[in-house]
Amino acid sequence: MNNIAIFASGDGSNAENIVRYFADNKSVRVKCVLSNVDNAGVHLRMKRLGVPSITFSNQLWREASGIAEYLRGQEIDLIVLAGFLCILQPPIISSFAGKIINIHPSLLPKFGGKGMWGMNVHRAVIEAKESESGITIHYVNAEIDGGTVILQARCPIYENDTAETLAQKVHELEYEHYPRVIESLLNG
Ligand code: GRF
């Protein structure tokens, strides 16, 4: 069995989509969801789906060695960040080297880095009058949005698009591609 841990801080629609995708899979399962936000929407979604979701304090995320130990105990094979707004510290990154991936809602390196998360990204893309945007799925290293790119997918931006309509298009791309990338990484 390949065990996934998802880290999420917000609504958790990607987390839910990933759980549903692997629900009947015999060799891949979402073992747990970890968060740094106690009242994040992701917890309610996981409760409905019967997946354990746990909040660790920001202090514990900063120390990180206890969380790394917890993940080793859970025999986690892949850590999937899905809207996780805490910077991962060395104990987790080094314990799971090459086994942590993230999804970013733009075509990195464009619109990445500090402050570029959630709607901030889509507003910046619209303000810059880009003709396309998309998603980047990448490995996680110590640099924000800096790891090797695994996959990018694109969507066009039309004149009447707003940050909100763009966010919707990008979410569709996320739902389509993220579970498949996870599956192909785990199946080698
Ligand atoms: C997604 O757009 C993802 O790209 C970004 O955070 C957002 C999370 O959305 N990293 P949700 O909580 O899964 O709905």
Side-chain angles (χ1 to χ4, degrees):
M1 180 59 82
N2 285 297
N3 292 320
I4 299 169
I6 299 178
F7 294 1
S9 305
D11 179 44
S13 70
N14 276 283
E16 174 160 357
N17 180 56
I18 294 164
V19 170
R20 289 189 184 282
Y21 184 88
F22 291 109
D24 297 322
N25 195 298
K26 300 268 181 293
S27 60
V28 179
R29 70 170 161 187
V30 177
K31 184 101 191 264
C32 55
V33 171
L34 306 191
S35 184
N36 62 324
V37 180
D38 208 18
N39 61 355
V42 69
H43 296 298
L44 190 59
R45 289 179 187 268
M46 292 307 120
K47 200 172 169 196
R48 284 197 214 108
L49 293 163
V51 174
S53 70
I54 308 159
T55 301
F56 289 105
S57 66
N58 284 318
Q59 175 67 25
L60 282 174
W61 282 107
R62 269 194 297 276
E63 290 163 7
S65 49
I67 297 176
E69 202 178 313
Y70 173 83
L71 292 164
R72 284 193 296 270
Q74 294 287 309
E75 301 186 327
I76 297 302
D77 300 291
L78 186 70
I79 296 175
V80 172
L81 309 191
F84 186 60
L85 298 180
C86 225
I87 293 175
L88 289 186
Q89 299 302 321
I92 296 178
I93 295 187
S94 55
S95 290
F96 291 89
K99 294 179 177 176
I100 312 177
I101 61 171
N102 182 41
I103 189 162
H104 185 82
S106 77
L107 297 169
L108 290 175
K110 283 185 158 184
F111 306 99
K114 210 160 180 260
M116 279 295 146
W117 56 274
M119 290 305 290
N120 295 349
V121 176
H122 304 304
R123 276 193 284 268
V125 171
I126 293 289
E127 271 166 30
K129 301 201 183 309
E130 294 288 307
S131 60
E132 63 172 10
S133 188
I135 59 168
T136 304
I137 298 171
H138 63 93
Y139 285 105
V140 171
N141 60 16
E143 192 190 328
I144 300 179
D145 298 329
T148 307
V149 171
I150 302 166
L151 174 136
Q152 291 191 308
R154 292 159 197 277
C155 59
I157 300 176
Y158 303 117
E159 261 183 30
N160 58 351
D161 269 318
T162 61
E164 286 70 26
T165 61
L166 176 58
Q168 249 171 9
K169 290 188 204 180
V170 167
H171 259 122
E172 291 306 322
L173 289 176
E174 294 180 337
Y175 301 151
E176 183 186 346
H177 293 283
Y178 211 11
R180 291 188 195 169
V181 166
I182 293 166
E183 191 171 34
S184 71
L185 289 177
L186 287 173
N187 291 337

